[in-house]
Amino acid sequence: MVSKIDTVAKRTKLPAAKKPVWERLAPGVFLGYRKSPEARKWLVRYHDPDAPKGASNPYKMQVFANADDAHIDEEALSFKRASVEALKLAEAASVPSAKGARPLTVRRAVEEYIAVRNSRDRKNKGRVDIRSDADTRLSRNVLSEVDLCDTKLRDTTRERLLEWLDDLPLSAATRKRLAGDFKAALRLAGDNYAKSLPATWKAEISSALTVKNDEPNSRDIQVLADDKIKAALRAAKEVDEAGNWDGDLYRLMVALASTGARFSQAARINRKGAFRQQRMDRQTGREMTDYVIMVPASRKGRGGKTELATKRIVAAADFDILTSGRDTDPDGGPLLQRWKNEEISPTVWKRGNRAAWYHASEITRPWGQIVKRAGLPNHTVPYAFRHSSIVRQLQSGLSVTLVAALHDTSPAMIQKHYARFIADVSDGIVAATTVSVAE
């Protein structure tokens, strides 16, 4: 049957009427279009799975969007987009036929991946209002590309993805992160719907979205000397006091600098993971006290990772600062917390309860103030504390394997990004063992 509503031209010819024009999308699922002098609307009608047997009207119906021939400023959907949304609504209502009828498009793959990432982040951070970084990046740069998103997965080619990449007005590093998210979304769809896709499809999209960062490696310029780290922490204390952070910002910065942990790891350090331990010094025979911070494993990478915390020994003074917070519940909980502001009205906020840090964006503004006060280069980022910690241990002569383990990363990553510092240390060790062999 020829559709009467699949194009703007066809819908323009329809008379205004109270009764919608319906088109069947799947058994028991219909997309409707209603035209009135005031509006153009999309409707969905589906068989209610919970309707009593023999009910006179076993269908549910709802208006869900404006049609794209409405000529209004609000978001409006094309026939193709409206069909997808109608099937999604029917699928959410547990209509069995809806899921199989929903087209397998790039949009569907990305939305399903975003749902997985958001669910994981919400579970990890104990909050229901969290959007993952992948959600933000993919929504802004992929879901906004209507033509690309409406492409069926089996028709999504390497050439089309490369064209999309070339048109991105982003830095190489940002493009690489975005391509990584997009690749993960498409590969997940490739796993879930393998029977519907060509055998070589996953390999082709992986090749297209494997982006190398052509910008010079900036990790060496992010390494701070010890005096610069101390200056940054002094500035952090000043910014903390000026901003009424009650020491919370300062303690977080001390944690990042003293452990070399990522923000996401520092935010999850448990109070029970901060303790003193006694050990016997093998050289002197004296009993020593170590100040230990157990840094949780990162959540980078795919599943199967053993979640073992890494023991980091910090200086006594740093340990005292880290454990000086007001959060002293003996049953544990996050070591590092901050006040959570609650919105009373659009212009009025009040201080609420204590809560764990949950996103690095929370320190973006105060970090800019810290950089300025400390006289650091404008491009310096908080991750510089981690770079500096790694380099400091390499230059102290610790093995690459041990430094990698202490920073919850791989020896390969250390060798890739810090090769120059490894070479510097190696040259020193070799020079120290060199003897004259000439008479």
Side-chain angles (χ1 to χ4, degrees):
M1 183 176 178
V2 178
S3 174
K4 296 180 180 180
I5 59 174
D6 61 342
T7 67
V8 171
K10 290 180 181 179
R11 297 195 296 271
T12 301
K13 297 177 181 178
L14 293 174
K18 186 175 181 181
K19 185 178 179 180
V21 177
W22 294 102
E23 181 157 322
R24 183 176 180 271
L25 301 178
V29 183
F30 301 85
L31 174 67
Y33 171 77
R34 183 161 60 201
K35 182 178 184 179
S36 69
E38 297 82 18
R40 312 287 189 271
K41 297 290 185 181
W42 291 118
L43 304 86
V44 63
R45 185 180 72 188
Y46 54 83
H47 191 280
D48 183 5
D50 298 324
K53 190 174 182 179
S56 59
N57 183 17
Y59 285 88
K60 284 190 173 181
M61 183 178 71
Q62 71 177 86
V63 177
F64 66 89
N66 292 303
D68 59 355
D69 56 312
H71 306 298
I72 58 175
D73 294 334
E74 298 176 41
E75 184 179 2
L77 303 184
S78 65
F79 171 81
K80 188 180 291 186
R81 287 284 310 281
S83 298
V84 171
E85 293 302 317
L87 287 167
K88 286 168 64 176
L89 290 170
E91 184 179 337
S94 302
V95 178
S97 61
K99 187 171 185 179
R102 189 176 161 200
L104 190 55
T105 61
V106 170
R107 182 183 304 280
R108 180 175 175 182
V110 170
E111 288 177 343
E112 289 180 354
Y113 176 73
I114 286 175
V116 170
R117 285 291 304 271
N118 285 347
S119 177
R120 187 181 74 182
D121 282 15
R122 287 164 185 168
K123 179 181 178 181
N124 290 342
K125 297 174 181 178
R127 293 172 58 96
V128 298
D129 57 345
I130 296 293
R131 285 183 68 193
S132 64
D133 290 341
D135 184 349
T136 303
R137 283 192 288 266
L138 291 171
S139 296
R140 181 182 301 137
N141 298 289
V142 179
L143 294 182
S144 60
E145 296 287 334
V146 177
D147 290 341
L148 174 62
C149 286
D150 287 343
T151 304
K152 292 182 179 179
L153 284 186
R154 65 179 302 108
D155 296 332
T156 303
T157 63
R158 183 176 186 275
E159 291 70 25
R160 179 66 182 90
L161 294 175
L162 290 173
E163 179 185 348
W164 168 78
L165 273 174
D166 290 341
D167 290 340
L168 289 174
L170 303 172
S171 68
T174 304
R175 184 184 293 111
K176 183 177 181 179
R177 286 192 292 271
L178 173 61
D181 289 331
F182 196 11
K183 179 168 68 173
L186 296 181
R187 286 182 63 85
L188 178 62
D191 291 337
N192 293 339
Y193 308 106
K195 293 182 179 180
S196 303
L197 297 169
T200 60
W201 186 81
K202 274 179 60 176
E204 290 180 9
I205 63 101
S206 294
S207 172
L209 294 175
T210 299
V211 178
K212 293 182 179 180
N213 190 346
D214 295 328
E215 292 183 348
N217 191 332
S218 61
R219 295 196 179 213
D220 56 336
I221 63 172
Q222 294 284 299
V223 176
L224 303 177
D226 290 348
D227 62 326
K228 294 296 184 182
I229 292 177
K230 291 182 182 296
L233 293 180
R234 285 195 298 270
K237 191 171 186 180
E238 294 171 2
V239 172
D240 183 295
E241 293 172 350
N244 296 319
W245 289 86
D246 285 357
D248 298 330
L249 177 68
Y250 179 51
R251 279 187 289 275
L252 175 63
M253 294 299 160
V254 171
L256 296 175
S258 62
T259 66
R262 305 172 181 88
F263 175 91
S264 60
Q265 293 175 282
R268 292 184 287 116
I269 296 174
N270 192 282
R271 281 193 292 274
K272 290 183 177 180
F275 56 86
R276 296 175 176 83
Q277 72 172 16
Q278 303 297 320
R279 64 175 174 85
M280 190 68 68
D281 188 290
R282 294 183 178 181
Q283 293 182 338
T284 65
R286 296 172 53 191
E287 190 175 77
M288 307 291 291
T289 300
D290 292 328
Y291 299 86
V292 176
I293 300 293
M294 299 299 293
V295 179
S298 75
R299 287 173 171 149
K300 296 181 68 176
R302 301 184 72 172
K305 185 172 182 178
T306 303
E307 296 259 343
L308 295 177
T310 301
K311 179 189 287 187
R312 293 302 309 265
I313 296 176
V314 301
D318 295 339
F319 182 86
D320 290 341
I321 292 170
L322 294 175
T323 56
S324 65
R326 63 178 64 234
D327 309 295
T328 56
D329 184 352
D331 294 329
L335 175 69
L336 304 170
Q337 299 190 37
R338 85 285 187 262
W339 291 106
K340 180 181 177 183
N341 291 327
E342 297 178 353
E343 186 177 8
I344 304 301
S345 70
T347 58
V348 179
W349 294 73
K350 74 170 184 177
R351 175 173 285 187
N353 298 322
R354 301 283 290 170
W357 298 88
Y358 70 92
H359 199 281
S361 61
E362 293 177 278
I363 62 172
T364 299
R365 183 175 297 176
W367 176 255
Q369 298 170 353
I370 291 169
V371 167
K372 186 175 181 179
R373 282 180 182 250
L376 301 177
N378 291 335
H379 64 264
T380 306
V381 295
Y383 214 80
F385 287 140
R386 179 172 173 83
H387 299 322
S388 304
S389 176
I390 290 172
V391 170
R392 187 186 311 114
Q393 292 190 347
L394 289 173
Q395 292 182 333
S396 296
L398 297 187
S399 70
V400 170
T401 302
L402 179 56
V403 173
L406 290 172
H407 291 85
D408 191 20
T409 189
S410 68
M413 289 298 292
I414 296 292
Q415 292 168 340
K416 175 181 178 181
H417 295 291
Y418 305 95
R420 179 168 67 85
F421 301 100
I422 297 171
D424 290 347
V425 173
S426 299
D427 288 346
I429 294 173
V430 172
T433 60
T434 300
V435 296
S436 175
V437 296
E439 296 183 0

